[in-house]
Amino acid sequence: MRDHLSAATPEATGGVAHGPRAPRAPYPGRAVGGADGPGPAAGVGQRAGPAVGGADGPGPVAGGGQRGGSTARGVPYPGRAARAVPRPAAVAAGLAALLAVAALRGPPAAAAGGVAALALALAALLPARPVPRGGAVAAGAALGGAVALQPGLLLLALPLWRCRGRTAALTALAVPAAVLAADPAGAIGRWSPGGEAGLGDQSLLGVGHRLGVHGLPLLLGWSAVAAVAVLLALRRSARLAADGQRLLALGVLGCAATALAPTARPADLGWLLLAGSGRLGRRPEDRTLWPLTAAVLVLLPSSVLDPGIEPFTGVLLRNAPALALLAVACALRFRIRRDPCWEVRRAAPPPRPSGRRGVPLLPAALRPLSRPNLLLELLLIQVCYAGYTWVRNAAPARASEAVAHALEVARVERLLGLDIERTVNTWALRATWLLKAAHGYYTLLHFAVPLTVLAWLYVRHPARYRPARTVLFAATGLALVGFWGYPLAPPRLTPGLGLRDTPYGTPDSAPLGPLTVLTNQYAAMPSLHIAWAAWCALAVVTTARGPLLRALAVGYPLVTLFVVVATANHWVLDAVGGAAVLTAGVAVQCLLTGRAPPPGWQN
C-alpha cells in the first residue's frame, strides 16, 4: 500500500504526491527508532524520537526527502521553509492574542486567570529535558497553580507523574489542596459550575445548562462522557507523544480537561490553539481547515458562526467550541509521522503569471488554483459576512450628515443629467405588480444570486473560483470604507423629494421588512447591490461559453439598477460607486495573485 502511494503522481491522487522516505541518521539527543518510526518514548513530557524536524516540526517533504521550497513537482505543504517564527515566540504570541481577546469577551481577571493557567501548565510539562529533584518540585508547583485556577487541569497530573516523577505529581496535588484549605469559600466558588444561559461557558456542563438539562440527569450524563473522554484522551495523548508531537499531545489532554471542567471561559479555550498544530486531511487544501477553525473558535465569539438559518444548526454552531474540545479529546484522527499523508504536495501556479516585476505580491504557495476545502470556504464566507455585517451596522448613523450628502448627490446628478430617480419611481408606483416584483427581487436575489455563482464556480470551474472569490471579498471590504467615510441617505429617506418604495408608504418605510432593523439605513454609497450584481456578470461572462447564459449575466446588473432606483433605495451615483469598488477589487486580485488563470487550467 505504501509503495503504491509513494509511486502515485499528483494527477492520480488529486494533486497530492507521496515520495519514498529516505533513511535518516540520528543526531545527538534524538532517540533512534529506525527508518520509519521514532524511538521508544513514554508520556507527554519525555523526549520522544521524532521522525524528523524536532518535537513538532514537519518531516522531510515526500519525494526523496527534500526539505522546503518549491520543486518541479509542486509546492510542499506544509514545508519547513514556511515556519519562520520560532516556536517560543509563536506560543507567546498565541497567549498574548488569547489574553487580549478573552479580556474583551469577559472580565479581565477571568481572562488573566485562564491564560495564566495555560502558561503554568505548559511550563510544567513542555520542557523535554530531564530535570533534577528541585526542578520536579517547581514543575509540580506550576501545574498546581494551574489546577488552582482551572480545576479541570488536574487531569494533567497523570502525565506529569510519568515524565517528572511522583514528587512533581504530589506537589501539583498539594498546591490546590492548600488553596482550598486557606480559602474554602472562594475556592469552591471558583470551582463550582456557573450554569450560565449565555455562551460564555463552553464546558459540557455549560452546554447542558443551555439545553435545559439540570440536576441528576446532567450529572449522570457528564460522568459517562467524562469517563470515556478521559480514557480516550490519555490513550491518544500517549500515542502522539511517542510520535514526537508533544505540543499536540498536551493540546489533546488540555482540551479534555477544559471540556470536563466546571466552567470553560473564553481564555480557557487556548488549548484548542495547541491542538491546532495537528494535521488532518489528505489533500493540501484540507490542511488549513483545522488550524483556522481552532483559531476562529478561540478568538471569535461562537455566535459569529451561526448564520441564523434554522434552530438545530444554530444550537450546534453556537456550542461549537465545546464540541471541538470533545472532538479533539476523543475523535479527531491526527496524522502521525509514519503516515503516508504526513507530507503532501500541491501543484504550483506559474511563478509570475502577470509578467510584471513585483506582481503578484503573494508567493506561489499562497495562491493555489485548485478547488479549496468546502468547509473552509463556508467558514470563511460566514466569518467574513459576520464581520461585514458588524462593521456596516456599527458605522455611525449620522442622519443629518447622511441627508446633507444625499442633497449634494441630488444636485450633482441634476448637473450631470442623471437625476432619473423621480421619473422611474413615479412610474413604478403606478404599476403595483411591478413594484411587488421589484421588492421581492431586492430582498431575495441580492444574496441568492452571488451564492449561486460562487457554488457554480466552485463545482464546475475551480480554477476560476479563488480569483473570483478574492474579487468579491475585496470589493465588499472596500465598500465598508465608503459606509464609514461617506454616510448617505437613500432617496426614500431624503426629505423634500417625495420618493417612496410603496404606493401608500412613507419616506421612512422598510424595504427589507423585518430585516431592515438589522441594517444601517444610511449606508447607500457605494451600492453593494450593483457591485455584487456586476461581479456575478463578470464571473459568468468570463467563464461561461453559452451565449444565453452570458446574455442573462449581462442583463442581471441592468435589472438590478432598475430595481434599486425604482424602489428609491439607491441613487444612480451609488451604482457608479458600486462599479468603482468592483474595479478596485479586480485590481487587488491582480496585485495579489496576478492575472486570471487560463480557462482550461485545472489541478
Side-chain angles (χ1 to χ4, degrees), residues 116-142:
L118 177 60
L120 289 172
L122 291 178
L125 286 164
L126 195 56
R129 304 182 186 86
V131 295
R133 186 177 184 86
V137 173

Side-chain angles (χ1 to χ4, degrees), residues 563-603:
V563 167
V564 297
V565 174
T567 55
N569 282 297
H570 281 289
W571 305 91
V572 173
L573 288 182
D574 294 345
V576 176
V581 295
L582 178 63
T583 304
V586 172
V588 170
Q589 190 274 332
C590 291
L591 287 175
L592 292 178
T593 64
R595 64 171 179 261
W601 198 96
Q602 298 286 338
N603 186 20

Side-chain angles (χ1 to χ4, degrees), residues 276-303:
S277 63
R279 301 188 183 187
L280 296 172
R282 296 181 60 87
R283 301 168 60 238
E285 293 77 16
D286 302 334
R287 284 295 169 89
T288 54
L289 173 61
W290 168 240
L292 289 180
T293 301
V296 167
L297 294 177
V298 173
L299 302 177
L300 296 180
S302 57
S303 58

Side-chain angles (χ1 to χ4, degrees), residues 156-168:
L156 300 181
L158 295 176
L160 184 69
W161 186 315
R162 193 170 185 180
C163 67
R164 296 287 186 264
R166 181 176 56 185
T167 301

Side-chain angles (χ1 to χ4, degrees), residues 447-510:
F447 297 102
V449 175
L451 291 177
T452 302
V453 173
L454 280 174
W456 172 69
L457 291 173
Y458 181 87
V459 174
R460 299 296 300 274
H461 305 278
R464 292 287 189 180
Y465 173 80
R466 291 181 189 264
R469 181 248 287 151
T470 302
V471 172
L472 179 62
F473 282 19
T476 304
L478 292 172
L480 295 176
V481 179
F483 298 156
W484 275 84
Y486 194 79
L488 180 65
R492 61 182 178 81
L493 294 182
T494 304
L497 299 182
L499 302 181
R500 305 188 304 273
D501 61 339
T502 63
Y504 310 104
T506 64
D508 195 19
S509 55

